[in-house]
Amino acid sequence: MTRNNIPKDHPRVHSLKIRSKMSDSFHSGILSQNGLIAHGRGEAFDYILGENTNKISLDTIRVATAQLLLSDSVISVNGNSAALCSKEIVKLAKLTNSKIEINLFHKSPTRVKKISQLLKKHGAIDIYGENKKYLTRVPGLKSNRKFIDKRGIFSSDVIFVPLEDGDRTEFLKKMNKTVITVDLNPLSRTSIMSDISIIDNLIRVLPEMIKQSKNMSNFSSTDLHNIVTKFNNQNQLQSILKFMSKRLIDLST
Amino acid sequence: MTRNNIPKDHPRVHSLKIRSKMSDSFHSGILSQNGLIAHGRGEAFDYILGENTNKISLDTIRVATAQLLLSDSVISVNGNSAALCSKEIVKLAKLTNSKIEINLFHKSPTRVKKISQLLKKHGAIDIYGENKKYLTRVPGLKSNRKFIDKRGIFSSDVIFVPLEDGDRTEFLKKMNKTVITVDLNPLSRTSIMSDISIIDNLIRVLPEMIKQSKNMSNFSSTDLHNIVTKFNNQNQLQSILKFMSKRLIDLST
């Protein structure tokens, strides 16, 4: 099914449209094969969530946005986040004064270049993670993601890693980074290990972060700090799990 | 990550191995791109289930096996089921005297041929759905799956469609077929519309069906009938949803 022949009355029309977008990104070389499987996992959890941003996530999005506004931060982009939300990533980076770094699990220079071009098409100027001259290793990490940019992730305090894998989050934490993630699975290692885990769909989260960045643009550091320090990620994850658990029961009747 | 370089101590080693098998099947042309996304959805629901066959599913597997043994039945094979369990499909078809028919959503003669070859490699003799001469249309169904074999699905009472899509299940029901499915999503249209929905992972279900077919091989028709008629799919689905709901709460603590 391509984007043009999805029947408008199909019960899963919205989900099929996004799936078709992922399919295009796969063909153009932005998304990896494992990225397609990961997208499927997200679909399942989002289905349980009701494909809607709930009150719990709205609060977490606010905390994450305040954290980005407060800090020297980097948005780490992979194939899935580029495929879904390049435009919004660039917009959020500008509003929160964050750097953008490309960091791929299934790395190839071609794929990095394609993602970089896509981000630049949407107005990004500096993209980190591309120039070998500035790359250094995450100590102990074996995968291709071991390379990080000295000017980007390496030297920043707060790393926003939407749709991240567990291994990498673990190593970012070992490097004492504050990690913000967006992950539809509240039980993933990334969700559990991050400091701020937004359990929601990136396509809904980023527009909301953009909106909240604008709302908070004239907040003082103290205001932003208060929002962040009140937050408890573990409690939040338990609330989300309870919400999902209740959804399954509600849906069964 | 290929099958050979998955670290043995990785917390998700089993899931990564299957994912790598899917990856191979994708490269060899057996699995479609949408099949990869569908596999991801399954992974998420299986994670919630605990990647284990529970008591509820064991009972449903027993009912499904009895239904296959009782009837003039067809196992409908798609890319995902072929990629995961070709050998077991052929074995189960022999033990339950079921026909095998290939029916693909993203159809191409090459893919049909590859799946047919794979099934034949595992001992299948007659494969339906391949020869255009015998194909007829499912009335009203628009997708490529509208074509069914006159000697197979068209003329049989019971259709076992593991990993099926909702549109097709709906049309099989309109044709008054008894539908058995394996689907990890208890909320999918297929799970809801089928007569017997096994909410479990196909790679665990088929070996169990093979075992139960052997156990029930000398059961009388009356015995088999009693097993089938006692079953209530709606109640079963509610039990599974309650089980999953409880799992989410248990995992949160």
Side-chain angles (χ1 to χ4, degrees), chain A residues 1 7 9-12 19 22-24 26-27 33-34 36-45 47-48 105-106 167 185-189 237-238 241-242 244-246 248-249 251-253, chain B residues 1 10-12 16 19 22-24 26-27 33-34 36-45 47-48 105-106 142 167 185-189 237-238 241-242 244-246 248-249 251-253:
Chain A
M1 226 179 274
D9 59 348
H10 194 285
R12 307 281 313 138
R19 210 179 288 166
M22 298 307 270
S23 183
D24 294 347
F26 178 72
H27 285 300
Q33 197 176 301
N34 276 278
L36 287 174
I37 299 179
H39 182 72
R41 282 197 297 281
E43 280 187 355
F45 284 108
Y47 192 76
I48 297 174
F105 191 93
H106 300 277
D167 289 348
N185 178 1
L187 300 159
S188 74
R189 283 191 296 151
L237 288 176
Q238 289 206 351
L241 282 162
K242 277 180 195 156
M244 285 179 145
S245 172
K246 194 177 170 300
L248 286 177
I249 291 295
L251 286 165
S252 78
T253 51
Chain B
M1 223 180 278
H10 194 286
R12 308 280 313 138
L16 291 178
R19 210 178 289 166
M22 299 308 270
S23 183
D24 293 347
F26 178 71
H27 284 300
Q33 199 176 299
N34 275 280
L36 287 174
I37 299 180
H39 182 71
R41 283 196 297 281
E43 280 187 356
F45 284 108
Y47 192 77
I48 297 174
F105 191 93
H106 300 276
K142 283 174 199 159
D167 288 347
N185 178 0
L187 301 159
S188 73
R189 282 191 297 149
L237 289 175
Q238 289 206 351
L241 281 162
K242 277 180 196 155
M244 285 179 146
S245 171
K246 194 176 171 300
L248 285 176
I249 292 295
L251 286 165
S252 79
T253 51

Side-chain angles (χ1 to χ4, degrees), chain A residues 143-159:
Chain A
S143 83
N144 277 330
R145 301 191 110 173
K146 63 186 165 208
F147 296 107
I148 52 176
D149 199 303
K150 284 176 201 163
R151 304 159 302 170
I153 292 175
F154 182 79
S155 58
S156 302
D157 302 325
V158 173
I159 321 295

Side-chain angles (χ1 to χ4, degrees), chain A residues 48 244-245 247-253, chain B residues 45-61 181-188 191-192 196-201 204-205 231-249:
Chain A
I48 297 174
M244 285 179 145
S245 172
R247 277 270 308 165
L248 286 177
I249 291 295
D250 292 349
L251 286 165
S252 78
T253 51
Chain B
F45 284 108
D46 203 17
Y47 192 77
I48 297 174
L49 276 176
E51 292 168 335
N52 196 32
T53 298
N54 54 51
K55 176 80 181 63
I56 307 162
S57 292
L58 268 182
D59 285 345
T60 314
I61 290 170
T181 195
V182 176
D183 190 326
L184 278 155
N185 178 0
L187 301 159
S188 73
S191 294
I192 291 165
I196 305 170
S197 311
I198 303 165
I199 310 303
D200 201 355
N201 195 323
R204 294 189 299 270
V205 169
F231 180 74
N232 181 314
N233 202 39
Q234 213 183 328
N235 290 351
Q236 187 251 151
L237 289 175
Q238 289 206 351
S239 303
I240 283 278
L241 281 162
K242 277 180 196 155
F243 177 87
M244 285 179 146
S245 171
K246 194 176 171 300
R247 276 272 307 167
L248 285 176
I249 292 295

Side-chain angles (χ1 to χ4, degrees), chain A residues 18 38-54 57 80 84 161-164 181-188 190-191 197-205 236-237 240-241 243-244, chain B residues 44 47-48 248:
Chain A
I18 299 169
H39 182 72
R41 282 197 297 281
E43 280 187 355
F45 284 108
D46 203 17
Y47 192 76
I48 297 174
L49 276 176
E51 293 168 334
N52 195 32
T53 298
N54 55 51
S57 292
N80 285 60
L84 287 171
V161 281
L163 318 180
E164 191 51 78
T181 195
V182 176
D183 190 327
L184 278 156
N185 178 1
L187 300 159
S188 74
T190 294
S191 294
S197 310
I198 304 164
I199 310 302
D200 200 356
N201 194 324
L202 192 65
I203 60 159
R204 294 189 299 270
V205 170
Q236 187 251 151
L237 288 176
I240 284 280
L241 282 162
F243 177 87
M244 285 179 145
Chain B
Y47 192 77
I48 297 174
L248 285 176

Side-chain angles (χ1 to χ4, degrees), chain A residues 55-240:
Chain A
K55 175 82 182 60
I56 307 161
S57 292
L58 268 182
D59 285 345
T60 314
I61 290 171
R62 191 161 180 259
V63 175
T65 312
Q67 180 71 78
L68 283 183
L69 286 167
L70 261 179
S71 328
D72 183 20
S73 54
V74 177
I75 305 179
S76 177
V77 178
N78 67 5
N80 285 60
S81 54
L84 287 171
C85 302
S86 289
K87 191 177 159 189
E88 290 78 9
I89 287 168
V90 176
K91 211 165 185 177
L92 182 67
K94 283 189 180 161
L95 286 165
T96 59
N97 201 23
S98 304
K99 291 167 185 163
I100 297 176
E101 181 166 335
I102 299 170
N103 196 286
L104 309 178
F105 191 93
H106 300 277
K107 198 165 184 165
S108 82
T110 320
R111 210 150 81 82
V112 171
K113 204 177 167 188
K114 283 190 173 165
I115 294 174
S116 174
Q117 282 168 344
L118 185 62
L119 292 164
K120 281 178 180 162
K121 198 185 96 183
H122 289 298
I125 294 160
D126 295 315
I127 306 278
Y128 298 101
E130 246 190 316
N131 190 334
K132 277 193 177 172
K133 197 170 84 182
Y134 296 107
L135 296 186
T136 183
R137 279 161 179 259
V138 177
L141 188 53
K142 283 173 199 160
S143 83
N144 277 330
R145 301 191 110 173
K146 63 186 165 208
F147 296 107
I148 52 176
D149 199 303
K150 284 176 201 163
R151 304 159 302 170
I153 292 175
F154 182 79
S155 58
S156 302
D157 302 325
V158 173
I159 321 295
F160 179 30
V161 281
L163 318 180
E164 191 51 78
D165 80 288
D167 289 348
R168 184 128 179 284
T169 309
E170 193 175 341
F171 278 94
L172 289 173
K173 283 311 300 168
K174 278 189 185 160
M175 291 176 78
N176 287 319
K177 305 291 184 188
T178 297
V179 179
I180 304 171
T181 195
V182 176
D183 190 327
L184 278 156
N185 178 1
L187 300 159
S188 74
R189 283 191 296 151
T190 294
S191 294
I192 291 165
M193 283 183 298
S194 295
D195 299 278
I196 305 170
S197 310
I198 304 164
I199 310 302
D200 200 356
N201 194 324
L202 192 65
I203 60 159
R204 294 189 299 270
V205 170
L206 287 181
E208 185 61 33
M209 287 182 93
I210 289 166
K211 194 175 127 193
Q212 302 228 17
S213 300
K214 290 175 186 167
N215 290 346
M216 288 192 253
S217 63
N218 56 356
F219 277 29
S220 70
S221 293
T222 319
D223 290 342
L224 295 171
H225 224 94
N226 283 341
I227 294 171
V228 172
T229 49
K230 270 183 205 155
F231 180 73
N232 181 313
N233 202 39
Q234 213 183 329
N235 291 351
Q236 187 251 151
L237 288 176
Q238 289 206 351
S239 303
I240 284 280

